[in-house]
Amino acid sequence: MKLNERSLAFYATCDSPADNAGFLYKRGERHTAYHRRWFVLKGNMLFYFEERDSREPVGVIVLEGCNVELCDSAEGFAFAIRFGGTKSRTYVLAAESQAAMESWVKSLSRASFDYMRLVVRELEKQLQEMRWGPAGGCGDSWKPKPSGLEQPRERPPALPAILPKENGCAVWNNAPGAERPPDSSGGGGHDEEGTPRPPPLPPRRRVSDGEAASAGAAVAESPSTFCRLHEQYSREVARLRQDWQQRRRGPRP
Amino acid sequence: MRYNERELLSLARQPAEKAAEIRMSVPKKGSVLKKRLVKLVVNFLFYFRTDEAEPIGALLLEHCRVTKEEENVFSISFIEEPERKYCFECATEEQCQEWVEALRRASYEFLRRSLIFYRNEIQKMTGKDPLEQYGISEEARFQLGAHRQ
């Protein structure tokens, strides 16, 4: 299977935040000798380098779906990364101190994309409930209509209400009726700002009859919550559109 | 670069966030659009020949740029090589938009930024760190400008 290795190597070595980094001993697959490698954990990818200043990783362990366990090993401070399949390899690693071992076990156990997504959804839900309440009265003349808040069951319950800048293109510029801005120059993928402060984002998803309509049946929110949210979004869309149009017109002579 | 292919193949077989038959081309000279089964699972985009169980390839979607091209078409490129584009021609404009949106949200780094944002917002509103109740507020991955080593 091909993998975008060049991009992986870039991801490993660029200055995006590392969730953990340090020397670990890695036990070989066939021979049980340990090799000291420089490990860098980013997201759900555990990269390992020959040396700390190597320009490219020797390898990477995709951590999605793994279990992390402590080992009784003569080496001490050892732990294992295990996967579910019967033929899966177990990666045995050893740290150089108790503290390092605990730090690695903690960060590796929480490294999956799934876990991160769970936490994000939870916070997103909390924030929505704080802003607009868990339930509310229905506004006038609200017509049921599929929108970005409705999702099929397997997908996240709602689009994030607020989205930070992503991939170099400020998401909130895509208010309905707004011209799509040209894809901005470099720097895509990482935030220059210390604290992202985007304005609230209305649902951008277009009305789609096919999937979204059937997804409507699986809506997580009650209609009253949804309609309150829907009204909030419409007000914000209107305001954003107005702002955008004013800016587009430029300063009045 | 070595990688745990078995686990990646296993990931490719898991239920996808999104999957469809889409015509796709790779950034190679003379590459043409070919019908592929394209499957989004966590931060990987797998692509298969339509009648095969094992993917031809996988793209890790970190530090990538998803660009809406002409009608029904979008592309994925990576920030260190923005001219090398993986192109995808969808059946409809709608499908195209949905994929663009889904792919832009499909990176760990995007999740991280979302989380930091929500965390800050909630903290501003309540004065409390919402991650404390889970005992993970000190975790490196949840910090603004996480520590670099």
Side-chain angles (χ1 to χ4, degrees):
Chain A
M1 175 171 44
K2 287 188 219 120
L3 202 51
N4 51 329
E5 287 190 20
R6 275 213 292 272
S7 311
L8 252 112
F10 179 82
Y11 181 46
T13 52
C14 76
D15 60 2
S16 66
D19 296 303
N20 210 334
F23 284 107
L24 290 171
Y25 292 89
K26 177 170 168 289
R27 197 166 75 184
E29 196 164 1
R30 262 165 261 134
H31 317 289
T32 50
Y34 281 80
H35 298 282
R36 192 171 186 250
R37 297 274 179 257
W38 177 256
F39 280 78
V40 173
L41 173 63
K42 287 193 181 182
N44 55 354
M45 311 292 282
L46 182 62
F47 298 96
Y48 51 99
F49 299 76
E50 182 119 11
E51 305 284 344
R52 181 169 183 166
D53 51 10
S54 299
R55 298 188 56 217
E56 225 178 70
V58 169
V60 62
I61 303 170
V62 178
L63 295 169
E64 206 63 30
C66 77
N67 284 313
V68 186
E69 297 168 6
L70 298 176
C71 286
D72 316 308
S73 168
E75 264 50 54
F77 312 130
F79 56 96
I81 300 174
R82 275 186 218 284
F83 293 90
T86 44
K87 294 196 213 124
S88 292
R89 177 184 165 173
T90 295
Y91 293 87
V92 179
L93 302 173
E96 290 171 322
S97 70
Q98 179 73 17
M101 182 198 71
E102 287 177 8
S103 157
W104 276 103
V105 169
K106 230 171 39 170
S107 32
L108 291 169
S109 327
R110 301 203 169 107
S112 71
F113 186 96
D114 266 343
Y115 175 78
M116 188 57 130
R117 185 162 47 189
L118 260 162
V119 180
V120 170
R121 280 187 208 171
E122 179 54 37
L123 292 196
E124 179 196 338
K125 192 175 94 168
Q126 279 184 29
L127 188 61
Q128 279 178 358
E129 283 175 1
M130 268 180 231
R131 287 181 169 210
W132 296 310
C138 195
D140 310 316
S141 60
W142 171 75
K143 282 203 182 88
K145 186 166 88 167
S147 92
L149 290 178
E150 299 178 19
Q151 303 284 346
R153 256 198 213 292
E154 327 77 72
R155 304 207 52 217
L159 273 180
I162 295 96
L163 282 175
K165 215 169 163 188
E166 42 150 316
N167 289 350
C169 181
V171 164
W172 64 270
N173 277 336
N174 297 332
E179 210 178 90
R180 198 167 276 269
D183 273 336
S184 30
S185 54
H190 48 261
D191 261 343
E192 268 81 42
E193 307 117 354
T195 314
R197 293 184 61 86
L201 176 78
R204 295 183 295 113
R205 187 174 298 275
R206 295 212 187 148
V207 172
S208 100
D209 292 319
E211 291 167 31
S214 57
V219 132
E221 333 264 348
S222 66
S224 55
T225 313
F226 176 73
C227 94
R228 159 110 66 109
L229 279 165
H230 181 73
E231 289 203 273
Q232 292 277 139
Y233 280 137
S234 335
R235 283 200 286 275
E236 289 179 24
V237 168
R239 189 176 53 77
L240 278 171
R241 191 187 292 145
Q242 202 179 32
D243 282 350
W244 179 83
Q245 277 170 348
Q246 276 171 3
R247 260 179 293 115
R248 199 184 177 199
R249 280 192 288 270
R252 298 255 160 203
Chain B
M1 199 189 307
R2 282 186 242 141
Y3 66 97
N4 47 335
E5 186 166 34
R6 210 168 277 138
E7 281 71 43
L8 204 53
L9 287 172
S10 161
L11 199 61
R13 286 192 291 269
Q14 280 180 28
E17 274 103 69
K18 226 170 159 46
E21 282 189 6
I22 295 180
R23 276 151 54 81
M24 172 185 174
S25 70
V26 297
K28 214 165 76 166
K29 223 177 184 182
S31 174
V32 294
L33 288 168
K34 294 190 183 140
K35 191 154 80 151
R36 295 284 179 246
L37 173 62
V38 170
K39 204 170 161 184
L40 173 62
V41 182
V42 297
N43 50 349
F44 279 95
L45 189 68
F46 296 100
Y47 50 101
F48 303 69
R49 285 194 190 87
T50 51
D51 54 353
E52 288 180 5
E54 217 177 87
I56 306 169
L59 299 178
L60 175 71
L61 297 169
E62 301 297 332
H63 293 299
C64 71
R65 170 169 290 149
V66 184
T67 311
K68 174 80 178 69
E69 307 278 356
E70 66 265 26
E71 191 171 7
N72 294 353
V73 177
F74 69 89
S75 68
I76 299 176
S77 60
F78 295 89
I79 60 170
E80 79 282 0
E81 284 178 312
E83 339 72 42
R84 288 187 84 239
K85 294 187 171 192
Y86 294 80
C87 290
F88 300 81
E89 187 186 81
C90 301
T92 64
E93 181 58 24
E94 192 158 25
Q95 185 189 43
C96 186
Q97 289 292 347
E98 286 177 7
W99 275 92
V100 168
E101 288 185 25
L103 290 167
R104 283 187 178 151
R105 288 163 177 63
S107 73
Y108 197 100
E109 298 304 316
F110 176 82
L111 278 182
R112 193 202 301 278
R113 292 199 301 274
S114 304
L115 183 142
I116 288 171
F117 182 79
Y118 290 139
R119 184 188 187 185
N120 284 344
E121 288 296 298
I122 292 173
Q123 189 144 25
K124 278 195 307 217
M125 284 178 82
T126 64
K128 277 198 305 206
D129 178 358
L131 294 184
E132 247 172 63
Q133 60 180 298
Y134 304 117
I136 53 177
S137 38
E138 298 312 308
E139 279 281 298
R141 66 184 67 247
F142 304 133
Q143 307 313 318
L144 201 60
H147 70 260
R148 286 143 210 218
Q149 299 206 4

